[in-house]
């Protein structure tokens, strides 16, 4: 894991992009995620739906599970989640349930974006927890990873 305090949003996204590249090389949709707490990257994961035969094996879900185990607490109130694609409704629900403090996402998710594009679970005042959202970090690079993958794999 990376133990460097005060990384910029771009540097954090670079770590998530590295995970997305691992996913792409494994034939998975290239989405990567990392969790930062107190200046330390404590967990990093990528999509594994194909490998695990699990529709819930999104990068965000997997990295939240790893972080909660490492912290020995389901409440990740000091955590920042960095992910290359804006989370879907399932992942936004997991983010809400784990009380993540902040989410930084890369590419907007025009099909299912739930932290700003289609829905905004992160700041909905009807929910009992709100999350700071920063979207569009390295958006072009994150979008290109996904569009290139689908161009090759879904012809």
């Amino acid at each position: 894991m990376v133990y460097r305090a005060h990384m910029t949003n771009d540097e954090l996204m670079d770590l998530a992009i590295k995970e997305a590249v691992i996913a792409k090389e494994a034939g998975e949709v290239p989405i990567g995620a990392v969790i930062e707490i107190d200046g330390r990257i404590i967990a990093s994961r990528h999509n594994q739906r194909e490998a695990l035969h699990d529709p819930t094996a999104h990068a965000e879900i997997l990295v939240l599970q790893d972080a909660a185990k490492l912290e020995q607490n389901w409440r990740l109130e000091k955590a920042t989640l960095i992910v290359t694609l804006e989370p879907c409704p399932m992942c936004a629900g997991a983010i809400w349930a784990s009380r993540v403090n902040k989410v930084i996402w890369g590419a907007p998710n025009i099909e299912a974006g739930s932290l700003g594009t289609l829905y905004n679970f992160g700041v909905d005042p009807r929910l009992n927890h709100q999350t700071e959202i920063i979207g569009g970090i390295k958006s072009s690079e994150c979008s290109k990873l996904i569009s290139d993958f689908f161009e090759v794999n879904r012809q």
Side-chain angles (χ1 to χ4, degrees):
M1 298 294 148
V2 176
Y3 295 93
R4 193 173 131 220
H6 309 296
M7 294 179 78
T8 67
N9 290 345
D10 283 356
E11 291 171 323
L12 290 166
M13 188 58 70
D14 285 339
L15 298 174
I17 288 169
K18 285 181 184 178
E19 282 292 324
V21 170
I22 294 168
K24 179 180 132 188
E25 291 169 353
E28 301 276 356
V29 176
I31 299 170
V34 297
I35 296 272
E36 179 270 332
I37 296 178
D38 294 329
R40 296 180 309 121
I41 302 300
I42 66 162
S44 59
R45 292 296 288 265
H46 54 272
N47 269 12
Q48 289 193 276
R49 292 189 308 171
E50 302 298 334
L52 300 177
H53 309 291
D54 181 350
T56 68
H58 290 200
E60 301 97 306
I61 300 292
L62 298 172
V63 80
L64 287 169
Q65 291 171 342
D66 288 354
K69 285 177 190 165
L70 287 166
E71 291 294 299
Q72 297 183 354
N73 193 344
W74 63 267
R75 289 180 184 92
L76 298 172
E77 297 167 323
K78 294 181 179 181
T80 297
L81 168 67
I82 303 91
V83 61
T84 56
L85 181 68
E86 178 187 0
C88 71
M90 175 184 69
C91 293
I95 291 162
W96 165 80
S98 62
R99 308 300 191 258
V100 166
N101 180 55
K102 183 192 309 185
V103 176
I104 299 170
W105 54 259
N109 184 342
I110 59 170
E111 294 177 356
S114 296
L115 293 181
T117 299
L118 297 180
Y119 306 101
N120 204 341
F121 293 129
V123 297
D124 190 324
R126 297 170 295 176
L127 299 174
N128 67 341
H129 173 75
Q130 283 75 45
T131 301
E132 181 183 350
I133 309 297
I134 300 172
I137 302 300
K138 294 203 154 199
S139 179
S140 296
E141 190 172 342
C142 293
S143 294
K144 184 170 176 18
L145 266 171
I146 294 168
S147 62
D148 287 354
F149 174 83
F150 283 114
E151 188 175 302
V152 170
N153 292 290
R154 302 284 162 96
Q155 293 180 352

